[in-house]
Amino acid sequence: MPTTRRVLLLNGPNLNLLGTREPQVYGSATLDELVQRVEAFAQAHGIEVRHLQSNHEGALIDAIHEARAWAHGIILNAGAYTHTSVALRDAIAGVGIPTVEVHLSNIHARESFRHTSLIAPICIGQISGFGVYSYLLAVQALVYHWQREGSSSVP
Ligand code: DQA
């Protein structure tokens, strides 16, 4: 794989509350701790991570659009927008950047309204249910994807 890869790590609504938000569901790590773990893991794979958390759909969409200029991949936990946002789905489909959908909790083992992801069909895959480790698996999934694709999609 060529030089440094750059990944947009995008966390959606309510994920700023990690650490105190339903810890029995989402664990005790704060968002800062989560981001630090992802950054350290990614760095060991030669990947630079840029992170944004927003509670606003439009801000997430803007970040996805801007990523066209620099990102080789996106790791996206869209929170509840996973289940509702056609606009986010269209943004990911529109930029064509390989995107891994992640969830801390296993959305398929929870309420039925969480079983549907509008985003999953246009992502390269979905990782759900492994807490912070879901994000580390997503880094590995991108590395695997780039290797398999022959790294042709460099901005
Ligand atoms: C979540 C699962 C979503 O259903 C929920 O709305 C979230 C977090 C997760 O990481 O498990 O906000 O994306």
Side-chain angles (χ1 to χ4, degrees), residues 7-8 19 27 38 74 89 99 102 107 123 132 142 146-147 151:
V7 167
L8 172 62
V38 177
I74 298 175
R89 175 196 170 118
T99 299
V102 300
I107 57 172
C123 288
V132 172
L142 280 174
W146 293 327
Q147 284 171 347
S151 301

Side-chain angles (χ1 to χ4, degrees), residues 13-144:
N14 300 307
L15 292 165
N16 54 312
L17 300 180
L18 282 181
T20 55
R21 174 195 184 199
E22 301 180 84
Q24 71 285 3
V25 178
Y26 298 116
S28 54
T30 64
L31 183 63
D32 279 351
E33 289 164 351
L34 182 154
V35 172
Q36 277 168 26
R37 279 192 65 186
V38 177
E39 282 174 349
F41 186 79
Q43 199 175 25
H45 288 80
I47 299 164
E48 178 194 324
V49 172
R50 301 183 194 173
H51 175 245
L52 175 77
Q53 187 279 329
S54 178
N55 295 320
H56 305 281
E57 197 175 15
L60 296 168
I61 291 167
D62 286 345
I64 291 167
H65 291 180
E66 285 158 19
R68 266 181 309 179
W70 62 268
H72 303 89
I74 298 175
I75 295 172
L76 172 64
N77 185 346
Y81 289 141
T82 303
H83 319 296
T84 63
S85 179
V86 176
L88 258 183
R89 175 196 170 118
D90 286 352
I92 297 160
V95 297
I97 301 170
T99 299
V100 181
E101 174 184 348
V102 300
H103 301 283
L104 293 151
S105 64
N106 180 356
I107 57 172
H108 303 287
R110 300 182 61 195
E111 303 96 325
S112 57
F113 64 83
R114 296 186 203 275
H115 297 177
T116 303
S117 167
L118 299 186
I119 290 163
I122 46 83
C123 288
I124 59 173
Q126 181 195 68
I127 299 167
S128 178
F130 300 100
V132 172
Y133 196 60
S134 289
Y135 290 78
L136 308 188
L137 291 169
V139 171
Q140 290 185 313
L142 280 174
V143 170
Y144 174 73

